[in-house]
Amino acid sequence: MLASLVVGFDVTILSLALPAMADDLGAGNAQLQWFVTSYTLVFAAGMIPAGVLGDRHGRKKTLLAALVIFGLASLACACSTSSGMFIAARAVLGLGAALIMPTTLSLLPVMFSEEERPKAIGAVAGAAMLAYPLGPILGGYLLHHFWWGAVFLINVPVVVLAFLAVSAWLPESKAPRAARAERFDVGGLVFSSAGLAAMTYGVIQGGEKGWTDVSTLAPLLGGLLAVVVFVLWEKRAAGPLVDLSLFRSARFTAGTLLGTVVNFTMFGVLFTMPQYYQAILGADAMGSGFRLLPMVGGLLLGVSLAGRIARAMGPKAAVALGFALLAAALFYGATTDTGSGTGLAAAWTAAYGLGLGFALPTAMDAALGELSAESAGVGSAVNQSVRTLGGSFGAAVLGSVLNSRYRGGLDVGDLPPRAQDAAQDSVFGGLAVARAVKSPELADRVGSAFVHGLDVVLAVSAGLGLLGALLAAVLLPRRVGDHARQVGDRAGKPAKSDHEPADAA
């Protein structure tokens, strides 16, 4: 949970510090984009190698090394004196995150029984989600009282705590000796990392430059080609990096696909709502963090009830119910107008969190429950890579939807050309122009255009929630025991020396 929390913090705090960093480091738009992109690309490229590293050399050792890398990179970010130095530190930070995430997930099917595993998944997911409100709350306080680098120091005490806890209590686990003795698949490593990094960059460019721009199409097509070559390579490799038979498992494929849909809908909330709270309701970063707490409260309640619902109704019904609930909440959120207040937002975000808590642990358990002790690391990395790429794609697509609806709904014909460009760039740019020309009427138009875009994004996310409910109803087993007593046969129990239940407790 601590390891997940520290990665979640970093996702939320960078956006708070960007304005101050632009001034202090003299960063232009290109540098600001690479502040984000350098982390994302290394994170995407590093996850599958990280999973292999944990399987071969030990997941505890890998997680300890990852925490050290993440902590030192956080210090380097805080102490950066130039844009280049900060971009390099962010890339190392992405490497630390890439080592942390699949390693954390790979421990769950090894350490926990079939009954305990959904609770563990929910706890880890809840810790990551808790970072979304806590990051802006703590980061906003630190920015108000200290320099911008202080927000990156939030990670350091959490990393220290996590390192001590992992050292003291986490049991070591790794693949059996025979699997570790296999020749390392260098070709698979190169093709998978290059493909994921290129496709992620293409998706980022799609959100920035448009989907028909050559800077979008070239990396997307190149990455897709690399992934195709990777699959062909793995089919012929003597000791493949990834066991492609995993995708013949309906549970693994369904769980991974449903987790990707969840990531897609989460972006619709986590990208748009902080902007709504700050631009429309007038909250600051700390205030927007506090207003996300109802969603986290709903998530924690949903996670606490998910196991009972899955046992009583079966995973199919539990996940479908969760998706249906979060879709209904998003449709309700799509009724927001400029006169709506915090009460409406708190109600539907809490209901969304509740649905998320029902759906996410059970869907993730379907995927992780199919992983053997031998391939838990690389299998978790594949799951995480697919979900991350889906989340990046969702960010680009829904961001494009928001921007197009905002620009299409904003009438700026009465402004000079440069002011028109500034007003159409974002809702904050539009409000800045309205203040500069002292036009409350323009501010109202900007707010109305943004809220219209927000409603469309939430409606699209709700439609994806309904798609998730349909996929769950079609793909997941009706009961926990269906399809899978093969889980125990495939996974096998880890050796007693690798894991004792009492130690895990």
Side-chain angles (χ1 to χ4, degrees), residues 191-495:
F191 290 131
S192 64
S193 297
L196 288 170
M199 290 180 71
T200 301
Y201 182 70
V203 166
I204 293 170
Q205 289 295 98
E208 294 287 331
K209 303 292 181 71
W211 296 99
T212 58
D213 192 88
V214 67
S215 64
T216 299
L217 293 175
L220 276 178
L221 294 175
L224 183 61
L225 178 62
V227 170
V228 171
V229 173
F230 167 71
V231 171
L232 296 175
W233 178 279
E234 294 299 280
K235 286 182 176 180
R236 290 164 175 77
L241 187 72
V242 175
D243 180 9
L244 297 179
S245 67
L246 269 177
F247 289 98
R248 290 201 292 269
S249 162
R251 282 171 57 89
F252 180 82
T253 303
T256 302
L257 184 59
L258 291 169
T260 304
V261 175
V262 166
N263 279 18
F264 211 120
T265 68
M266 281 172 58
F267 178 80
V269 178
L270 296 173
F271 175 70
T272 57
M273 291 311 293
Q275 294 184 67
Y276 169 75
Y277 292 139
Q278 293 179 48
I280 307 303
L281 298 187
D284 58 10
M286 286 182 66
S288 66
F290 279 115
R291 285 167 173 81
L292 288 173
L293 288 175
M295 181 181 69
V296 177
L299 172 70
L300 296 177
L301 177 60
V303 165
S304 68
L305 298 174
R308 293 180 225 171
I309 294 172
R311 285 192 295 273
M313 303 171 59
K316 181 194 292 285
V319 176
L321 174 63
F323 272 107
L325 181 57
L326 68 85
L330 289 165
F331 275 126
Y332 184 41
T335 64
T336 301
D337 59 34
T338 53
S340 303
T342 301
L344 173 68
W348 77 257
T349 54
Y352 173 82
L354 184 64
L356 198 63
F358 288 167
L360 184 58
T362 311
M364 287 295 296
D365 181 58
L368 297 183
E370 289 293 282
L371 301 179
S372 66
E374 176 181 332
S375 62
V378 71
S380 298
V382 170
N383 173 274
Q384 182 72 30
S385 297
V386 173
R387 292 191 299 115
T388 299
L389 185 60
S392 298
F393 184 69
V397 170
L398 294 178
S400 297
V401 169
L402 178 62
N403 288 337
S404 66
R405 293 295 177 177
Y406 169 70
R407 291 167 184 163
L410 180 61
D411 179 12
V412 290
D414 55 341
L415 296 175
R418 292 185 65 181
Q420 289 182 18
D421 293 340
Q424 291 185 318
D425 183 57
S426 69
V427 62
F428 298 105
L431 292 174
V433 171
R435 286 193 296 270
V437 300
K438 299 179 180 178
S439 173
E441 191 268 336
L442 176 60
D444 290 342
R445 292 196 314 238
V446 167
S448 296
F450 174 79
V451 169
H452 172 64
L454 166 72
D455 290 344
V456 173
V457 166
L458 294 180
V460 171
S461 300
L464 288 167
L466 292 179
L467 175 63
L470 178 62
L471 290 173
V474 171
L475 297 177
L476 285 178
R478 192 176 300 277
R479 295 181 302 278
V480 174
D482 287 352
H483 179 78
R485 292 301 173 203
Q486 55 178 302
V487 171
D489 297 335
R490 289 183 56 191
K493 297 295 180 187

Side-chain angles (χ1 to χ4, degrees), residues 46-60 62 98-111 173-176 179 241-243 246 252 367-368 370-385:
M47 279 189 286
I48 290 180
V52 175
L53 194 66
D55 287 341
R56 284 177 170 260
H57 299 289
R59 297 166 188 122
K60 178 176 181 175
T62 302
L99 289 164
I100 287 172
M101 292 309 295
T103 306
T104 303
L105 287 178
S106 69
L107 290 164
L108 303 182
V110 175
M111 287 177 58
S173 67
K174 62 180 73 172
L241 187 72
V242 175
D243 180 9
L246 269 177
F252 180 82
L368 297 183
E370 289 293 282
L371 301 179
S372 66
E374 176 181 332
S375 62
V378 71
S380 298
V382 170
N383 173 274
Q384 182 72 30
S385 297

